[in-house]
């Protein structure tokens, strides 16, 4: 089975493209969603509580995201610690998930695939591209936030131009070219 990474900058429409692949029967592993689940695993939770204190979890056992974010963004060592706990667990979870799939290939969706140098773990990489002004409008609408808020998040990501050079395939999701035929064509290539 081929393992294919799929990425794109904020507002590019990665989720939309992944849903099209799913409609074709391609299993998609959504890394952000799976990471959120890891915070609730007893072994991961114990390490986080030991490092940051019980208050990073609410009484009902859910993660206090605001408090944890506060710790992470003021301290690089704290971020490295969280990554050292979460990423190995996420990789193991992905490998176990792959073993249960019965398709010629699977997709691993991640917004920060290139930023974390994860491209080496995949057979091929798909990049979902859209012009910055389109992505900006999409995210402002989706998240009901300001232009500056979105631009500050965009600045944290590697440029689209650089990511395009690193990707094996590019799907353009800017409204000029229909996305579905691009996905269908790529699906044919990847199923071989």
């Amino acid at each position: 089975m081929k393992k294919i990474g799929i990425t794109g900058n904020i507002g590019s429409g990665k989720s939309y493209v992944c849903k099209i692949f799913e409609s074709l029967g391609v299993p998609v592993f959504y890394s952000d969603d799976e990471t959120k689940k890891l915070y609730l695993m007893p072994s991961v939770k114990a390490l986080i509580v030991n490092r940051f204190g019980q208050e990073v979890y609410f009484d009902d056992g859910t993660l206090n995201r605001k408090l944890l974010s506060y710790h992470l963004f003021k301290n690089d060592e704290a971020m490295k610690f969280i990554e050292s706990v979460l990423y190995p667990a996420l990789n193991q979870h992905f490998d176990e998930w792959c073993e249960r799939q019965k398709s010629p290939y699977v997709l691993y969706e991640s917004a920060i695939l290139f930023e974390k140098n994860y491209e080496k773990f995949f057979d091929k990489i798909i990049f979902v591209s859209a012009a910055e002004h389109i992505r900006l409008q999409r995210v402002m609408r989706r998240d009901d936030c300001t232009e500056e808020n979105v631009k500050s998040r965009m600045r944290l990501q590697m440029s689209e131009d650089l990511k395009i050079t690193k990707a094996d395939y590019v799907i353009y999701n800017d409204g000029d070219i229909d996305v579905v035929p691009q996905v269908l064509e790529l699906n044919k290539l990847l199923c071989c």
Side-chain angles (χ1 to χ4, degrees):
M1 169 192 308
K2 295 177 202 161
K3 295 176 181 176
I4 310 297
I6 184 165
T7 190
N9 283 356
I10 186 170
S12 64
K14 287 182 308 300
S15 297
Y16 170 67
V17 171
C18 286
K19 295 298 179 201
I20 299 170
F21 276 105
E22 283 182 306
S23 74
L24 300 173
V26 178
V28 179
F29 185 89
Y30 293 93
S31 65
D32 282 353
D33 294 343
E34 297 302 323
T35 299
K36 288 173 187 167
K37 294 176 190 174
L38 291 176
Y39 281 106
L40 304 178
M41 285 179 50
S43 58
V44 170
K45 190 175 177 178
L47 291 169
I48 292 172
V49 166
N50 188 49
R51 173 73 183 246
F52 300 107
Q54 187 62 48
E55 62 273 5
V56 295
Y57 286 89
F58 293 113
D59 290 340
D60 66 0
T62 59
L63 183 66
N64 183 338
R65 292 190 184 286
K66 269 191 174 171
L67 183 57
L68 183 61
S69 294
Y70 169 77
H71 287 296
L72 298 181
F73 291 113
K74 72 173 190 165
N75 183 336
D76 284 344
E77 289 304 313
M79 181 63 87
K80 287 177 186 169
F81 169 78
I82 284 292
E83 289 175 349
S84 75
V85 170
L86 292 178
Y87 289 161
L90 184 65
N91 294 340
Q92 180 181 346
H93 186 54
F94 176 63
D95 289 342
E96 291 166 356
W97 178 86
C98 285
E99 290 172 14
R100 298 190 302 272
Q101 307 311 312
K102 305 287 185 232
S103 59
Y105 71 96
V106 297
L107 293 179
Y108 180 100
E109 184 272 335
S110 172
I112 56 172
L113 195 139
F114 288 122
E115 284 82 354
K116 294 299 178 188
N117 294 312
Y118 271 23
E119 62 268 27
K120 60 188 171 224
F121 298 118
F122 299 97
D123 298 300
K124 298 287 181 185
I125 303 293
I126 300 168
F127 182 73
V128 180
S129 175
E132 183 175 322
H133 70 278
I134 292 171
R135 293 185 292 112
L136 182 65
Q137 292 302 313
R138 285 176 182 164
V139 178
M140 285 170 60
R141 252 191 328 269
R142 181 190 73 196
D143 296 352
D144 190 28
C145 59
T146 66
E147 183 174 330
E148 186 48 44
N149 179 283
V150 179
K151 284 184 174 182
S152 70
R153 290 189 270 168
M154 287 178 160
R155 284 190 287 270
L156 297 174
Q157 294 185 308
M158 197 181 287
S159 78
E160 275 225 352
D161 292 341
L162 180 55
K163 287 182 178 183
I164 286 171
T165 66
K166 292 170 148 272
D168 298 289
Y169 307 105
V170 180
I171 293 177
Y172 294 95
N173 184 24
D174 54 14
D176 292 336
I177 306 169
D178 191 6
V179 173
V180 174
Q182 295 178 76
V183 172
L184 291 172
E185 186 63 31
L186 200 44
N187 182 56
K188 275 191 230 170
L189 283 171
L190 294 171
C191 280
C192 296

